[in-house]
Amino acid sequence: MRFRRRTRWVKSITVAGAALLVAGPFVPAAQAQQQGGKVLRVALVQEIDHLNPFLASFASSTMVGRMTWEFLTLPSAEDSTPAPGLAESWSTSPDKLTWTYKIRDGVKWSDGQPVTAKDAAYTFTRIMTDENAQEANGTYVENFDSVTAPDDHTLVIRTKAPQASMTALDVPIVPEHIWSHQAAMSDPVTDSVPVVGVGDGPFLISEYRPNELVRLKANPDYWRGRAKIDELQFISYKNSEAAVNALKNNEVDFVNRLTSTQFDTLKNAPGIATNQAGGRRYRELMINHGAQLLSRQPIGDGNPVLKDVRVRQAIARALDPQTLVDKVLGGYGQPGGGIVPASFPAYHWDPPANQRYAFDPAAANAQLDQAGYPRGNDGTRVGPDGKPIELRLLGRASEDFAQRASDYVVSWLGAVGIRVTKQLVSDNEVDQRTNEGNYDLAFSGWGTSPDPDYILSKQTCAALPAVPGSSSSTAFFCDADFDRLYAAESTEFDPGRRANLVKQAQARYYDQVPSVVLDYDNVLEAYRSDNFASFTKQPANTGQIMEQSGYWGFYGATPAGGGSNGSGGLSPGAWIGIAAGVVVVLAIGGTAAGRRRKSADDQE
Amino acid sequence: MTNAVSTAAAELDEPRRGTGTARFLLGKLGGAAGSLLLVVALGFLLFRMIPGDPVTTLTRDRPTSPDQLAQLRARLGVDKPLYQQFLDYLSGLLRGDLGTSYGYNRPVSALIGERLGPTLLLVGTATVLAVALGLWLGVRAAWRRGSLFDRTQTGIALTLWSMPQFWLGLLLLIATQGAFPSGGMRSPATPPEFLPQLLDVAHHLVLPCVTLLAVIYAQYMLVMRSSLLGEMNADYLTTARAKGLREDLVRRRHAVPNALLPTVTLVFLQFGLVVSGTVTVETVFSWPGLGLLTYEALRVPDLPLLQGVFVVMAGSVIVMNLIAEVLYRVLDPRVRAQ
């Protein structure tokens, strides 16, 4: 009798627990906004490697650094031209080797100490002298000769050769009185809040849970003025589907790096706004026109036919980037021109109509006929060695774009008599084979910074690898005309003339076709428009919000008028879920306890 | 001759049994250590067969000079001959040093250490619940073999068992419509006190745990069912029934304890595998555990980290195997007697 009663008890509890588990899902559990939309919760799909700004190299980590530490100068929100940061103004000597920055007065670190030129001098000197501090920003100071602070408001940098990027040094300036105590850069303490929490940027790091969360509070003393939001949270999501789901459920306010499908779904979702912007990367089809080392020694096994510039131009004419944008990218891209993406309008170059390789298979065929590559019996063109022209197309198997675009490329080139075989392999193998020149055609791409110097420098002869595998050149391009234009550009300080030279260099690259720039992918972002009214875009109105070169996007976040509410803490759904869990545990525990008592009885 | 041995055995009955256990334990420990060494060696070789030079992988998208490459090679120790690297790795391993992650530039052991807790919480909870559910359903199904209950439960279990965890997780995420958090282990808004934090973690645990549970309970159920079926016609049950015991008691006190053995072993055998099997679940729900770390390491690929995770996961399987074997001996007198 007693036994039966217990069974019933267990049963009823189990039923209740199950009922709660079933009911739980129907109670909305979204962690509602606190304090009237003053907290901006951003889903971070990429990992944080370090908060230490000397080591931070992942894009998400450098973004956190941008929020915390002010730069000397930074690209403006309007058009990415250099804007004042810690440096109010700057000037350069006639020989362009000495730069003098006037450091803003009255800026304070969050612990109350004044920000001076000595902090900036310390930061640069540390990177120059401490090998372990070069991990993230070492390339900026390679050409530095000395950095000094004659007084608190003057910073003088001498360079070995003229350097055009001196107004775009993407290096966070840190407080000397905190960082000079950190002897070892690899010490975990350099990632802890007491160290990285002292800053002078618009936000200050207040909590860091690795793999979970970085919490930043608005800096009340920020020199541009306090942000309109109180807190900025970067919440880790490892799966973009989950991040999108979290946005829909109002668990986060901002999501980026969306796929075109996700973006289309979110377009019509209530309370959500989307932002489509020009990106900072270009996609290309690399053509192995003769991979070589710095010593001009040829490497790799590229098809020699591709050394003929007429063949490369014919290939460019046989491709239809617009179709790739429409069919593969779902329309979220812009067909390519020069290697500086269209999101940097000052330096972007678009080929004029008479110079553009428009999609024209007939013209491509004619050019190949004229160049002396007749079709063989099976329709495939024959090279000078009498063998049919067969090319290998290398792509990352992990990449949706490569998988789908490769079929188009195979058929387009097939139509002009060039036989192409797809080789979709692991990322590693793509890297290795392209670095060593063992490819004919390969999908690739490169991200660019607002200053075009970097991306142009990668196409010069000087960027050719010294040994196979040191990846400095992107397409093994080496051209005297291009190098001349690059050299002129990098020492030209008149903005108009410099832009002109940058465009001429791109035109030369386009003409020689070491690679075909296929498109510039769009950046796809979405946010809770019921919580936030607007963000500052870069460039103005048309640009992206999250991964800017600068902190304008989140610094300019404006809460929506009414601001939604709710209190903090746990939602009803959470409580019900937990109650159900507790009940289940109790039921199991009870059953186990009852059973043990029973078996003890049994032993009697 | 045989006679002499058996007499000696009879005389030395007690001490001999002692050494038997010691020998058994030593043998098992030695086997486990051997397997571990094999795993370490295999892991070492395996991750060196992956195409791509780690140094060029690391410097991808960054201009590098041959000097820098040589420095990096020296720092990572990949410039030494393979056997030397292996010996270095082994000696580091003995000191608990699993090397330094390329991607994070931090000790692998520290990275694994901070991720182990969340994984054990997830796997532990899911395993406890899966065992409870699996055993309960297995016993019911076996006792009423061929019934509608048996057929539907077996069907459901097999269906869930064959479902991809990734897909099931996403399905649950969408189906619950925001009743549970979409990812992570804690939400930033929760007050820092212990109870709210505990409840918050519990709330976040529900979906990943249910996903894992749904997939793993099936095998416990099926093993319990089949091993109980094996006991069903045993004589001792007839005896028990003949004593006039009620069916409930016959099942609970006589049949189930005897059928429990294979299942208990299975729990331990599976525990190690489940730790490694959380990669997909953790990735779906952004659960900050070992599985997620593996996924991240695979994308780089971060060889020392992958190798470290591989050793830790394989090690956990070996240790759990060892426990299962020892436990089997403890639980079943028949095994001990052999």
Side-chain angles (χ1 to χ4, degrees):
Chain A
M1 196 57 211
R2 191 182 53 161
F3 186 68
R4 183 166 291 169
R5 207 161 41 233
R6 189 179 65 79
T7 316
R8 210 179 288 149
W9 180 78
V10 168
K11 265 187 187 147
S12 54
I13 280 191
T14 315
V15 168
L20 280 173
L21 270 178
V22 174
F26 298 102
V27 183
Q31 266 96 42
Q33 275 285 353
Q34 289 171 281
Q35 303 153 10
K38 291 284 188 91
V39 178
L40 173 58
R41 302 158 304 174
V42 179
L44 204 58
V45 188
Q46 205 199 4
E47 193 86 347
I48 297 264
D49 57 343
H50 285 281
L51 290 182
N52 176 345
F54 293 100
L55 302 185
S57 49
F58 292 3
S60 48
S61 324
T62 52
M63 178 174 60
V64 174
R66 280 178 217 287
M67 305 289 165
T68 308
W69 297 283
E70 186 65 90
F71 305 94
L72 284 183
T73 62
L74 70 164
S76 72
E78 292 71 34
D79 56 4
S80 297
T81 52
L86 267 190
E88 265 176 350
S89 59
W90 51 91
S91 60
T92 165
S93 63
D95 64 359
K96 318 285 185 201
L97 292 176
T98 306
W99 287 76
T100 310
Y101 300 84
K102 186 168 184 321
I103 302 298
R104 198 172 294 278
D105 196 9
V107 183
K108 280 190 164 53
W109 295 111
S110 50
D111 61 2
Q113 304 249 24
V115 180
T116 69
K118 294 200 169 63
D119 292 309
Y122 169 78
T123 305
F124 288 116
T125 311
R126 179 84 191 244
I127 300 175
M128 287 160 67
T129 54
D130 179 353
E131 197 183 297
N132 296 318
Q134 287 163 7
E135 183 111 0
N137 299 314
T139 49
Y140 288 105
V141 303
E142 262 170 15
N143 182 36
F144 282 18
D145 191 34
S146 70
V147 184
T148 49
D151 63 65
D152 279 1
H153 299 293
T154 313
L155 179 76
V156 179
I157 303 180
R158 290 191 55 81
T159 58
K160 296 171 197 157
Q163 183 172 338
S165 66
M166 292 302 286
T167 50
L169 296 170
D170 201 5
V171 180
I173 305 297
V174 301
E176 179 178 11
H177 66 278
I178 299 287
W179 286 87
S180 58
H181 299 305
Q182 312 306 330
M185 271 299 161
S186 55
D187 190 337
V189 81
T190 59
D191 277 321
S192 68
V193 172
V195 173
V196 295
V198 183
D200 58 349
F203 296 95
L204 304 166
I205 299 170
S206 61
E207 189 183 359
Y208 174 41
R209 292 188 216 145
N211 328 312
E212 288 186 57
L213 166 82
V214 183
R215 189 197 296 265
L216 299 105
K217 294 227 182 297
N219 180 357
D221 303 319
Y222 181 53
W223 69 270
R224 279 183 217 270
R226 191 184 187 286
K228 295 188 207 76
I229 56 171
D230 297 327
E231 198 171 302
L232 178 59
Q233 297 171 351
F234 292 106
I235 304 168
S236 191
Y237 284 89
K238 283 299 126 63
N239 164 352
S240 72
E241 284 301 332
V244 166
N245 205 49
L247 183 76
K248 284 187 191 157
N249 296 338
N250 202 4
E251 290 168 54
V252 293
D253 300 306
F254 198 100
V255 175
N256 80 337
R257 297 194 182 196
L258 296 169
T259 65
S260 56
T261 322
Q262 290 168 337
F263 190 76
D264 286 337
T265 325
L266 288 174
K267 259 184 180 167
N268 306 314
I272 289 172
T274 51
N275 183 41
Q276 176 185 356
R280 307 206 316 232
R281 285 185 73 82
Y282 65 83
R283 272 187 200 280
E284 63 181 344
L285 181 71
M286 293 205 294
I287 303 178
N288 190 347
H289 59 289
Q292 55 181 331
L293 299 177
L294 196 52
S295 58
R296 303 296 188 277
Q297 183 201 339
I299 54 167
D301 61 2
N303 193 318
V305 173
L306 297 173
K307 287 184 178 158
D308 188 338
V309 68
R310 295 168 300 182
V311 174
R312 302 202 297 272
Q313 288 172 344
I315 288 177
R317 289 200 165 94
L319 303 176
D320 182 11
Q322 184 65 51
T323 297
L324 293 180
V325 169
D326 292 342
K327 305 285 185 194
V328 180
L329 296 173
Y332 298 114
Q334 186 178 345
I339 51 178
V340 176
S343 54
F344 301 118
Y347 297 111
H348 171 66
W349 176 81
D350 246 337
N354 62 351
Q355 217 179 323
R356 182 178 275 283
Y357 308 123
F359 174 54
D360 189 348
N365 269 318
Q367 193 169 18
L368 288 168
D369 288 339
Q370 211 179 358
Y373 300 97
R375 286 184 187 256
N377 295 333
D378 61 349
T380 306
R381 289 181 185 276
V382 180
D385 55 357
K387 281 196 233 155
I389 303 179
E390 287 184 60
L391 303 178
R392 298 156 297 169
L393 171 58
L394 202 56
R396 295 167 198 271
S398 63
E399 199 184 55
D400 185 55
F401 182 89
Q403 283 183 16
R404 295 168 59 194
S406 54
D407 288 330
Y408 285 102
V409 172
V410 169
S411 85
W412 284 329
L413 293 184
V416 298
I418 297 174
R419 198 186 298 160
V420 177
T421 46
K422 295 194 289 181
Q423 296 190 340
L424 295 175
V425 294
S426 74
D427 293 15
N428 253 351
E429 198 174 335
V430 171
D431 288 339
Q432 188 168 15
R433 284 180 54 187
T434 51
N435 282 340
E436 291 169 358
N438 294 325
Y439 67 99
D440 297 321
L441 305 172
F443 286 115
S444 183
W446 212 271
T448 54
S449 41
D451 192 281
D453 196 80
Y454 173 72
I455 191 63
L456 292 184
S457 75
K458 296 192 78 72
Q459 315 299 346
T460 60
C461 296
L464 287 174
V467 290
S470 58
S471 57
S472 42
S473 179
T474 58
F476 296 101
F477 190 49
C478 176
D479 178 75
D481 285 352
F482 182 91
D483 273 17
R484 198 169 36 73
L485 290 163
Y486 167 74
E489 168 276 322
S490 65
T491 47
E492 176 57 66
F493 289 84
D494 176 79
R497 281 205 295 269
R498 181 167 180 231
N500 193 21
L501 289 165
V502 169
K503 288 177 185 176
Q504 283 181 42
Q506 292 179 78
R508 178 67 189 164
Y509 185 91
Y510 189 83
D511 182 61
Q512 292 299 301
V513 216
S515 77
V516 180
V517 175
L518 297 172
D519 83 288
Y520 318 115
D521 282 15
N522 281 162
V523 167
L524 304 177
E525 306 171 310
Y527 60 92
R528 295 294 311 190
S529 52
D530 47 0
N531 294 335
F532 288 90
S534 70
F535 297 88
T536 307
K537 295 175 184 174
Q538 182 190 43
N541 304 323
T542 58
Q544 60 179 324
I545 297 169
M546 185 155 162
E547 288 177 21
Q548 298 180 348
S549 10
Y551 40 65
W552 311 106
F554 294 146
Y555 172 59
T558 311
S564 57
N565 314 304
S567 58
L570 288 172
S571 61
W575 285 108
I576 290 180
I578 288 153
V582 169
V583 167
V584 168
V585 170
L586 274 179
I588 292 165
T591 314
R595 198 155 286 170
R596 193 177 306 136
R597 199 185 62 228
K598 270 284 154 194
S599 54
D601 288 351
D602 200 29
Q603 279 164 12
E604 281 297 309
Chain B
M1 189 62 198
T2 39
N3 237 344
V5 170
S6 63
T7 346
E11 281 166 7
L12 297 170
D13 196 43
E14 283 312 303
R16 270 193 77 92
R17 188 176 294 168
T19 45
T21 303
R23 196 185 301 144
F24 166 79
L25 273 179
L26 272 177
K28 289 295 166 199
L29 276 174
S35 316
L36 206 57
L37 191 70
L38 205 65
V39 158
V40 170
L42 253 172
F44 183 84
L45 284 177
L46 203 67
F47 290 113
R48 263 150 199 82
M49 288 193 320
I50 292 181
D53 176 6
V55 175
T56 47
T57 307
L58 275 183
T59 52
R60 185 191 296 169
D61 289 13
R62 265 198 285 165
T64 39
S65 66
D67 270 1
Q68 283 172 303
L69 289 183
Q71 268 179 18
L72 203 57
R73 283 212 167 80
R75 205 182 83 199
L76 299 176
V78 290
D79 56 339
K80 296 180 193 162
L82 206 59
Y83 76 92
Q84 187 63 45
Q85 289 183 41
F86 183 62
L87 289 180
D88 288 352
Y89 185 69
L90 269 188
S91 77
L93 209 57
L94 289 176
R95 285 177 275 117
D97 175 11
L98 289 169
T100 305
S101 151
Y102 296 165
Y104 294 88
N105 203 357
R106 288 180 55 199
V108 169
S109 48
L111 285 167
I112 292 180
E114 69 192 30
R115 304 286 189 111
L116 204 57
T119 292
L120 287 180
L121 176 68
L122 174 59
V123 171
T125 317
T127 303
V128 166
L129 293 177
V131 168
L133 186 71
L135 295 196
W136 186 64
L137 289 175
V139 168
R140 300 272 147 166
W143 211 252
R144 286 188 260 158
R145 177 172 37 155
S147 69
L148 185 65
F149 178 85
D150 180 22
R151 277 177 290 141
T152 49
Q153 285 305 323
T154 314
I156 292 171
L158 282 175
T159 311
L160 288 171
W161 174 236
S162 47
M163 256 185 208
Q165 295 186 350
F166 200 88
W167 184 72
L168 184 66
L170 281 176
L171 215 61
L172 277 174
L173 200 60
I174 293 161
T176 51
Q177 297 210 330
F180 300 102
S182 311
M185 195 169 83
R186 289 179 285 178
S187 55
T190 313
E193 288 79 30
F194 178 72
L195 189 65
Q197 285 287 334
L198 179 80
L199 295 178
D200 188 35
V201 171
H203 190 208
H204 281 77
L205 189 60
V206 174
L207 283 189
C209 190
V210 166
T211 309
L212 202 54
L213 164 75
V215 176
I216 61 175
Y217 89 92
Q219 50 185 333
Y220 300 124
M221 173 185 166
L222 296 175
V223 168
M224 188 65 216
R225 181 177 173 275
S226 70
S227 73
L228 189 58
L229 283 179
E231 301 289 334
M232 290 280 276
N233 298 319
D235 291 342
Y236 67 87
L237 290 187
T238 317
T239 316
R241 289 202 181 93
K243 284 201 301 190
L245 284 180
R246 278 205 341 252
E247 199 63 9
D248 257 1
L249 293 182
V250 173
R251 186 179 71 212
R252 263 179 227 286
R253 286 193 221 159
H254 295 267
V256 171
N258 278 304
L260 213 52
L261 263 163
T263 326
V264 171
T265 330
L266 184 73
V267 171
F268 283 91
L269 285 181
Q270 289 299 317
F271 192 83
L273 292 180
V274 175
V275 169
S276 52
T278 53
V279 177
T280 46
V281 175
E282 289 188 0
T283 309
V284 172
F285 296 103
S286 311
W287 189 261
L290 267 190
L292 200 50
L293 189 70
T294 316
Y295 173 75
E296 291 289 330
L298 269 171
R299 292 203 312 190
V300 176
D302 191 334
L303 296 187
L305 187 50
L306 276 176
Q307 206 173 317
V309 171
F310 178 78
V311 167
V312 167
M313 283 183 172
S316 72
V317 172
I318 292 171
V319 169
M320 285 300 162
N321 265 317
L322 183 69
I323 295 180
E325 279 176 330
V326 172
L327 207 69
Y328 204 88
R329 203 177 148 89
V330 171
L331 288 178
D332 193 344
R334 286 170 298 185
V335 179
R336 211 161 41 225
Q338 274 160 16

